[in-house]
């Protein structure tokens, strides 16, 4: 069974903190005086998020990431029903990126789609039956790579049941405010920083390393994380992915291993 939210996302936050040296800085996006602990209704909203993601299945995702002075961009999908992410990773050389909660691999985009240019990643996933030979990669290392830290957080955002709203309240999750995005009102929460009960939960948005932007159905529309000790947020956008379904190629490949 996948980890519960307070455990899964606290683990992700810890990995980010290890990578960043635990640097926190105030954000000017949300007024500190407005932040507060969750009400029971808001805790239920956040507790439903991972189940809503899994029930929805594939989501279109996009983000840009700066690491070691170089900027990369990803456009693709994460399918929370099969726990598989896949898309086009545009860095020094265009690549295809494939991952789940444990491993990640890349494939030269020019080999898979020599005429594609900046077009979306091809479907179905190329060379899915040759992961050991056509793809290069290994275990996710969230503490050693900004990319892997972000991929790990994305991969942990699905679950087969609601999480415990009381634990979210006790762990320090915060309501930060609401924002209008493309005509839709989104509620923004700071994720819990601990899976332990805080003696006196403090509304301190400056200490947050993860923010979740949810629509009125508790579906995640945007994710913000702090990476690399920077004061700015790295943003992942989530959108509908009608007609897209990613097969669990890792399990399929393992099943064919002699």
């Amino acid at each position: 069974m996948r980890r519960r939210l307070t455990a899964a996302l606290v683990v992700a936050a810890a990995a980010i903190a290890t990578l960043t040296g635990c640097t926190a800085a105030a954000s000017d996006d949300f007024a500190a005086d407005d932040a507060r602990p969750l009400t029971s209704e808001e805790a239920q909203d956040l507790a439903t998020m991972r189940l809503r993601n899994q029930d929805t299945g594939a989501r279109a995702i996009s983000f840009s990431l700066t690491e070691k002075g170089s900027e990369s961009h990803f456009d693709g999908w994460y399918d929370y029903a099969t726990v598989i992410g896949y898309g086009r990773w545009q860095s020094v050389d265009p690549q295809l990126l494939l991952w789940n909660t444990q491993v990640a691999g890349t494939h030269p985009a020019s080999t898979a789609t020599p005429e594609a240019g900046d077009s979306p990643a091809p479907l179905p996933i190329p060379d899915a039956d040759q992961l050991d030979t056509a793809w290069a990669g290994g275990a996710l290392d969230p503490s050693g790579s900004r990319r892997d830290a972000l991929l790990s957080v994305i991969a942990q955002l699905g679950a087969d049941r609601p999480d415990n709203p009381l634990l979210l309240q006790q762990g320090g999750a915060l309501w930060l405010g609401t924002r209008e995005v493309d005509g839709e009102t989104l509620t923004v929460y700071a994720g819990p920083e601990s899976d332990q009960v805080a003696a006196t939960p403090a509304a301190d948005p400056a200490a947050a390393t993860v923010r979740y932007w949810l629509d009125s159905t508790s579906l995640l529309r945007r994710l913000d994380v702090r990476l690399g000790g920077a004061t700015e947020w790295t943003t992942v956008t989530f959108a509908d992915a009608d007609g897209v379904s990613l097969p669990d190629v890792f399990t399929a490949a393992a099943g064919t291993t002699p």
Side-chain angles (χ1 to χ4, degrees):
M1 182 182 298
R2 299 184 184 114
R3 295 181 187 136
R4 312 306 293 152
L5 178 63
T6 49
L9 297 187
V10 167
V11 167
I16 293 171
T18 300
L19 179 67
T20 65
C22 223
T23 299
S27 167
D28 58 7
D29 293 337
F30 296 90
D33 291 344
D34 292 339
R36 55 168 172 75
L38 305 183
T39 65
S40 296
E41 183 177 356
E42 291 159 357
Q44 187 63 53
D45 184 31
L46 184 56
T48 307
M49 174 191 67
R50 294 205 304 152
L51 176 62
R52 285 285 291 120
N53 286 344
Q54 179 163 312
D55 286 347
T56 303
R59 309 291 307 285
I61 64 175
S62 177
F63 61 83
S64 293
L65 182 65
T66 300
E67 185 165 26
K68 298 179 180 178
S70 177
E71 182 168 324
S72 302
H73 185 78
F74 177 84
D75 280 300
W77 308 269
Y78 199 92
D79 193 331
Y80 287 99
T82 57
V83 200
I84 294 294
Y86 166 70
R88 184 181 181 88
W89 177 253
Q90 182 66 50
S91 186
V92 177
D93 296 311
Q95 295 178 313
L96 303 179
L97 177 61
L98 179 67
W99 83 98
N100 63 10
T101 58
Q102 298 177 316
V103 298
T106 58
H107 185 298
S110 58
T111 301
T113 54
E115 76 292 344
D118 293 329
S119 63
L123 289 171
I125 299 171
D127 298 328
D129 58 343
Q130 303 175 50
L131 296 183
D132 287 341
T133 56
W135 291 76
L140 279 178
D141 182 12
S143 65
S145 162
R146 288 165 61 89
R147 187 202 72 172
D148 283 11
L150 188 56
L151 296 184
S152 179
V153 173
I154 293 170
Q156 295 181 63
L157 295 177
D160 56 7
R161 65 185 67 183
D163 294 291
N164 188 325
L166 181 59
L167 292 180
L168 294 176
Q169 290 177 296
Q170 295 174 337
L174 300 175
W175 177 92
L176 298 180
T178 60
R179 292 291 185 270
E180 293 290 325
V181 179
D182 296 331
E184 184 176 32
T185 300
L186 303 181
T187 303
V188 188
Y189 300 105
E193 294 302 309
S194 173
D195 58 1
Q196 304 296 319
V197 177
T200 55
D204 183 11
T209 57
V210 189
R211 299 190 304 209
Y212 308 98
W213 300 52
L214 308 188
D215 69 12
S216 60
T217 71
S218 304
L219 188 64
L220 183 65
R221 293 293 183 180
R222 171 173 160 174
L223 170 75
D224 299 332
V225 298
R226 281 193 173 113
L227 297 170
T231 58
E232 71 272 8
W233 295 88
T234 295
T235 293
V236 184
T237 59
F238 293 75
D240 296 338
D242 296 337
V244 174
S245 178
L246 302 180
D248 185 353
V249 294
F250 294 107
T251 297
T256 61
T257 302

